[in-house]
Amino acid sequence: MTQIDEIEQTKQWLEQVIIGLNFCPFAKKEFVNQTIHYHASDKAQLKPALVELLAQCHFLSDNPEIETSLLIYNQGFRDFNRFLDLVDDSNELIVEHGFEGIFQIATFHPEYCFADAEYDDAGNFTNRSPYPTLHLIREKSMEKVLSVYKNPEAIPDNNIALAQKKGADYFQSLLKKIKQD
């Protein structure tokens, strides 16, 4: 498996799940305009992964034409609890290095499970991805699109309702197919 494979599989997931099911109504524009930076990481330890995250923050700061960045972990953080540790430390790092209010992090993981949900609940698939992934989002851009989007606070509940309607089997087979292609 090469880093190109992980990136291509992540693009398929974006196209088929996130955009195809409209889980993020803002993703299609960036996907079509190719303003998403994909960074496949082989980091499996926390400190090197945090150094890399910080480098991605600087990359986005230095490249305003790139809207967002996906850090795709192809080796590490497969354990969901360990991934949550990475998320917590990543959020702290953003604050410590002056990126609070500039970037926020959205999280995706193959084993994603919302705190109040059963593991097999289809609603978890709104945040399940082929690989552990941190999504760096520009806060100003998010504020801008949310200001013109009708009822943005309903997006998560609508996504979970759609995922539950589709069912866990649908998403499991879709993610399995993406990983096999």
Side-chain angles (χ1 to χ4, degrees), residues 11-12 40 47 75 92 105 129 136 154:
K11 286 179 179 180
Q12 285 180 31
K47 285 186 181 182
Q75 299 296 321
E92 288 176 20
I105 300 172
S129 58
L136 276 172

Side-chain angles (χ1 to χ4, degrees), residues 3-172:
Q3 291 181 342
I4 293 170
D5 292 335
E6 285 104 21
I7 290 171
E8 287 307 312
Q9 290 169 356
T10 298
K11 286 179 179 180
Q12 285 180 31
W13 166 73
L14 280 173
E15 195 168 29
Q16 295 176 32
V17 178
I18 301 302
I19 296 167
L21 297 174
N22 203 31
F23 280 167
C24 178
F26 321 115
K28 184 175 183 177
K29 176 184 175 218
E30 305 314 327
F31 187 79
V32 170
N33 291 341
Q34 298 181 4
T35 56
I36 301 171
H37 176 70
Y38 303 89
H39 180 82
S41 172
D42 62 357
K43 305 298 184 248
Q45 299 300 315
L46 189 58
K47 285 186 181 182
L50 292 171
V51 169
E52 197 169 51
L53 173 75
L54 189 58
Q56 287 299 301
C57 289
H58 287 289
F59 174 82
L60 283 176
S61 290
D62 294 342
N63 295 279
E65 70 281 3
I66 302 296
E67 187 58 42
T68 190
S69 183
L70 293 174
L71 283 82
I72 306 157
Y73 294 96
N74 56 27
Q75 299 296 321
F77 309 101
R78 293 183 190 246
D79 176 78
F80 186 57
N81 289 317
R82 197 157 170 268
F83 177 73
L84 292 177
D85 292 339
L86 172 66
V87 171
D88 288 343
D89 288 351
S90 295
N91 282 316
E92 288 176 20
L93 186 81
I94 282 183
V95 172
E96 288 171 15
H97 287 270
F99 289 110
E100 183 178 30
I102 298 170
F103 301 118
Q104 62 180 265
I105 300 172
T107 58
F108 302 95
H109 193 276
E111 304 294 323
Y112 199 97
C113 187
F114 288 106
D116 300 345
E118 295 292 322
Y119 177 80
D120 293 330
D121 188 305
N124 293 318
F125 284 92
T126 63
N127 286 65
R128 285 198 183 165
S129 58
Y131 299 94
T133 302
L134 295 179
H135 178 197
L136 276 172
I137 303 166
R138 293 181 188 275
E139 284 204 15
K140 279 187 178 179
S141 298
M142 184 58 63
E143 289 171 12
K144 184 178 171 185
V145 297
L146 289 176
S147 71
V148 298
Y149 189 82
K150 187 177 178 181
N151 203 14
E153 60 280 351
I155 293 171
D157 290 337
N158 292 341
N159 290 348
I160 289 171
L162 177 59
Q164 289 173 336
K165 183 178 177 184
K166 292 277 189 189
D169 290 343
Y170 169 84
F171 290 100
Q172 288 168 346

Side-chain angles (χ1 to χ4, degrees), residues 164-180:
Q164 289 173 336
K165 183 178 177 184
K166 292 277 189 189
D169 290 343
Y170 169 84
F171 290 100
Q172 288 168 346
S173 64
L174 186 60
L175 285 171
K176 184 177 178 182
K177 183 179 182 320
I178 287 171
K179 293 274 296 220
Q180 290 175 345

